[in-house]
Amino acid sequence: MKLVAKIRNTFAHDFKATGFDIPPVRDYCASLKQPGTLAAMPNQLFPADTAAIMAEYVLKTNATPREQYRTSVFALFGSLLRRLHYVRRVTVEAWFSYDPDALVGPGHGG
């Protein structure tokens, strides 16, 4: 997520950043782990012949820095969505309260 933030900040604050193929954006994208993780997954999910085809497809669709960024953002978003059940729901009153302890209740560090 920090690399995604760095890429976003580069585009937001550097007027010379006009695309994903310029340093440091290109280098940040090359450092993203999600494309490599996804390329390794077909071996765990499919029979060998299908896994090879799928792995090639994943590598082909992540060939450019822009595609690596998109894949990473989609994967991170999916990970966050799968973790929604861990989020503690609070009331609107507690969320907008000026009381710093309003969001802390029994069993939640309070």
Side-chain angles (χ1 to χ4, degrees), residues 21 26 29-40 42 54-75:
D21 292 327
R26 177 191 61 228
C29 291
S31 298
L32 293 166
K33 296 183 191 303
Q34 284 78 12
T37 301
L38 289 175
M54 293 301 293
E56 182 180 334
Y57 170 77
V58 171
L59 289 174
K60 192 184 302 184
T61 58
N62 286 291
T64 68
R66 182 185 185 101
E67 292 163 345
Q68 292 165 350
Y69 177 79
R70 284 186 56 184
T71 295
S72 297
V73 169
F74 291 155

Side-chain angles (χ1 to χ4, degrees), residues 4-63:
V4 169
K6 284 183 179 186
I7 294 165
R8 179 262 173 217
N9 288 340
T10 300
F11 284 118
H13 300 289
D14 183 355
F15 70 92
K16 295 177 191 170
T18 58
F20 284 84
D21 292 327
I22 62 164
V25 175
R26 177 191 61 228
D27 303 325
Y28 292 151
C29 291
S31 298
L32 293 166
K33 296 183 191 303
Q34 284 78 12
T37 301
L38 289 175
M41 287 178 79
N43 292 330
Q44 300 166 2
L45 301 173
F46 301 104
D49 56 337
T50 307
I53 294 168
M54 293 301 293
E56 182 180 334
Y57 170 77
V58 171
L59 289 174
K60 192 184 302 184
T61 58
N62 286 291

